[in-house]
């Protein structure tokens, strides 16, 4: 419904008495949010707001203190950025380096916006660090190589143990909230993996169980690698968020362990399942030689970019060349595994799994 400003002002006048009765009775001081238009600075609205204990977000001269609900929602975050910039200015810092993932980069961009608003001469340059390797327009972030190397030890253990048992199943849950790069590369690094599940592909419990059954019939065992963000549609965690504001993921590894075991018992057989979750063991390792080398080069490039006057950029690597990627571009979308790409098609070739694990009756033959 389209309402012009004069009509919307009238609606405000009509709703104030009824809408504020309960809040004023409870001793709550309300805030009236509105756009800085003439009718909202009128004496009539000021008098009406005063009668009902409302604090207006626009002054008599149309000065806005909070002219959007979104600003109110982000108030705490904005105060933090204000304080960060205050501290940078107080200490005379002219070049800030941020190291982290897309969340860190979004924070860096907000600092840049505040720096520009104040007209300060402070540059902000980001260095990508995420083992998930999911920052757009950057082929590799440091930490990823180390994570894949450590994951290989888990997949190797998941092969050795189940291969010694009848109907052995080795199930490994690896990092990867929304992108399956660690799981994919770890699978290619250990050709004993028979099924790889990543967030970019849909699957069903029945489809996975059938693929597991077929693989055990053929080889006597199977190794499954699953990324932590895979199969979230199978878990009841809709709408939940963690302390950082990220969508909270359910434990897909535990779900697969329980459901596969139950399915085999229902068929009158017993599956010997070994479940491995090496998450923090992988996160806490020191960088390997390749990651240490990449980190050094990214650090050098970040200093060069800052000294050259660059700001609001993140240092990337693309086809073995270091690049300057605008932060808004880097966080515009999350990098994901392209299921039509050579990478994923190679995973399917190495594992022998079917490209459709949604329905009963599909799977590796």
């Amino acid at each position: 419904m389209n309402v012009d400003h004069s009509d919307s002002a009238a609606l405000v006048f009509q709703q104030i008495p009824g809408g504020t009765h309960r809040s004023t009775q409870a001793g709550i001081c309300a805030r009236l949010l509105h756009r800085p238009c003439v009718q909202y600075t009128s004496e009539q609205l000021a008098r009406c707001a005063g009668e009902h204990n409302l604090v207006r977000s626009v002054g008599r001269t149309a000065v806005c203190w909070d002219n959007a609900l979104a600003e109110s929602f982000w108030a705490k975050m904005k105060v933090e950025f204000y304080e960060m910039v205050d501290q940078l200015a107080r200490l005379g810092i002219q070049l800030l380096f941020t190291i982290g993932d897309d969340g860190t980069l979004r924070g860096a961009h907000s600092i840049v916006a505040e720096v520009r608003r104040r007209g300060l001469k402070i540059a902000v340059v980001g260095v990508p660090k995420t083992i998930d390797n999911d920052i757009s327009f950057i082929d590799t972030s440091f930490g990823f190589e180390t994570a894949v190397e450590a994951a290989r030890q888990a997949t190797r253990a998941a092969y050795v143990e189940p291969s010694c048992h009848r109907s052995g199943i080795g199930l490994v849950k690896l990092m990867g909230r929304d992108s399956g790069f660690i799981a994919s590369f770890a699978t290619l690094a250990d050709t004993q993996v028979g099924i790889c599940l990543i967030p970019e592909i849909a699957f069903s419990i029945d489809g996975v169980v059938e693929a597991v059954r077929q693989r055990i019939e053929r080889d006597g065992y199977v190794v499954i690698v699953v990324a932590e963000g895979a199969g979230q549609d199978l878990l009841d965690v809709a709408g939940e968020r963690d302390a950082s504001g990220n969508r909270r993921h359910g434990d897909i590894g535990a779900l697969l362990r329980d459901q596969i075991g139950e399915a085999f018992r229902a068929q009158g057989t017993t599956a010997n399942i070994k479940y491995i979750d090496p998450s923090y063991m992988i996160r806490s390792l020191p960088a390997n030689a390749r990651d240490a080398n990449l980190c050094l080069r990214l650090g050098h490039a970040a200093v060069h970019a800052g000294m050259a006057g660059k700001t609001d950029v993140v240092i990337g690597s693309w086809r073995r060349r270091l690049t300057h990627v605008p932060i808004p571009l880097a966080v515009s979308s999350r990098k994901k595994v392209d299921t039509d790409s050579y990478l994923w098609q190679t995973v399917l070739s190495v594992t022998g799994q079917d490209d459709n694990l949604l329905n009963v009756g599909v799977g590796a033959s």
Side-chain angles (χ1 to χ4, degrees):
M1 179 177 66
N2 295 322
V3 181
D4 64 29
H5 290 308
S6 58
D7 288 341
S8 60
L11 289 174
V12 169
F13 296 144
Q14 294 170 12
Q15 296 303 317
I16 283 177
T20 59
H21 175 71
R22 287 186 297 275
S23 61
T24 52
Q25 286 292 102
I28 299 172
C29 181
R31 169 160 292 190
L32 180 63
L33 303 176
H34 47 67
R35 298 174 63 183
C37 302
V38 174
Q39 68 275 12
Y40 292 125
T41 65
S42 67
E43 291 182 2
Q44 181 185 6
L45 180 58
R47 185 167 53 254
C48 185
E51 291 173 354
H52 297 281
N53 196 29
L54 286 171
V55 177
R56 294 181 299 152
S57 65
V58 65
R60 182 69 179 88
T61 58
V63 176
C64 275
W65 300 310
D66 187 359
N67 64 354
L69 184 59
E71 289 187 13
S72 178
F73 180 78
W74 290 106
K76 184 170 183 280
M77 190 65 73
K78 285 169 57 180
V79 168
E80 291 177 357
F81 292 136
Y82 294 157
E83 292 177 351
M84 290 178 189
V85 176
D86 286 342
Q87 187 73 352
L88 292 173
R90 188 179 303 116
L91 296 175
I93 295 174
Q94 296 179 305
L95 181 53
L96 173 67
F97 300 102
T98 64
I99 306 173
D101 58 7
D102 60 334
T104 300
L105 292 176
R106 287 190 176 89
H109 179 65
S110 296
I111 292 174
V112 170
E114 178 60 15
V115 165
R116 287 173 173 166
R117 189 187 72 82
R118 300 188 192 189
L120 301 175
K121 294 182 179 180
I122 301 175
V124 180
V125 179
V127 177
K129 185 199 74 65
T130 167
I131 64 174
D132 287 355
N133 196 34
D134 56 358
I135 301 178
S136 292
F137 302 99
I138 296 175
D139 56 13
T140 304
S141 56
F142 82 85
F144 175 67
E145 295 273 359
T146 303
V148 172
E149 184 177 301
R152 188 182 185 187
Q153 300 177 27
T155 59
R156 186 64 182 176
Y159 157 69
V160 171
E161 186 71 20
S163 64
C164 299
H165 294 82
R166 185 186 300 274
S167 299
I169 300 174
L171 175 60
V172 182
K173 186 179 76 171
L174 297 177
M175 312 297 276
R177 285 185 52 83
D178 299 291
S179 303
F181 289 103
I182 293 178
S184 298
F185 276 82
T187 296
L188 296 180
D190 190 345
T191 55
Q192 301 298 335
V193 177
I195 300 175
C196 179
L197 305 173
I198 60 175
E200 293 84 349
I201 66 166
F203 58 89
S204 67
I205 297 296
D206 290 340
V208 172
V209 168
E210 178 62 18
V212 168
R213 184 190 62 78
Q214 292 182 15
R215 186 55 60 92
I216 289 178
E217 285 183 354
R218 192 189 77 177
D219 300 332
Y221 71 93
V222 64
V223 176
I224 307 170
V225 166
V226 58
E228 63 177 324
Q232 292 302 302
D233 59 308
L234 305 175
L235 295 144
D236 187 20
V237 290
E240 294 184 22
R241 299 278 171 174
D242 61 20
S244 299
N246 296 314
R247 183 165 55 91
R248 189 181 296 279
H249 285 350
D251 192 341
I252 185 61
L255 178 71
L256 288 174
R257 177 196 61 198
D258 297 341
Q259 293 292 322
I260 292 173
E262 183 178 330
F264 270 72
R265 285 191 295 273
Q267 296 172 2
T269 59
T270 300
N272 196 310
I273 303 177
K274 305 299 181 184
Y275 178 45
I276 301 174
D277 180 359
S279 57
Y280 283 96
M281 191 174 76
I282 291 177
R283 290 176 63 102
S284 304
L285 289 175
N288 65 11
R290 290 196 60 167
D291 266 336
N293 178 279
L294 176 61
C295 181
L296 178 68
R297 293 168 55 227
L298 291 173
H300 285 176
V303 172
H304 292 321
M307 296 299 290
K310 303 291 184 179
T311 189
D312 205 17
V313 297
V314 56
I315 305 301
S317 62
W318 192 260
R319 296 183 179 180
R320 299 182 182 274
R321 297 178 68 92
L322 296 182
T323 59
H324 296 165
V325 182
I327 289 179
L329 184 63
V331 301
S332 60
S333 62
R334 190 178 299 278
K335 186 173 69 173
K336 293 179 175 289
V337 174
D338 181 357
T339 55
D340 293 324
S341 68
Y342 177 76
L343 169 61
W344 183 245
Q345 294 306 310
T346 303
V347 170
L348 295 180
S349 176
V350 168
T351 60
Q353 74 187 62
D354 197 284
D355 62 356
N356 180 5
L357 294 178
L358 276 172
N359 305 306
V360 177
V362 301
S365 58

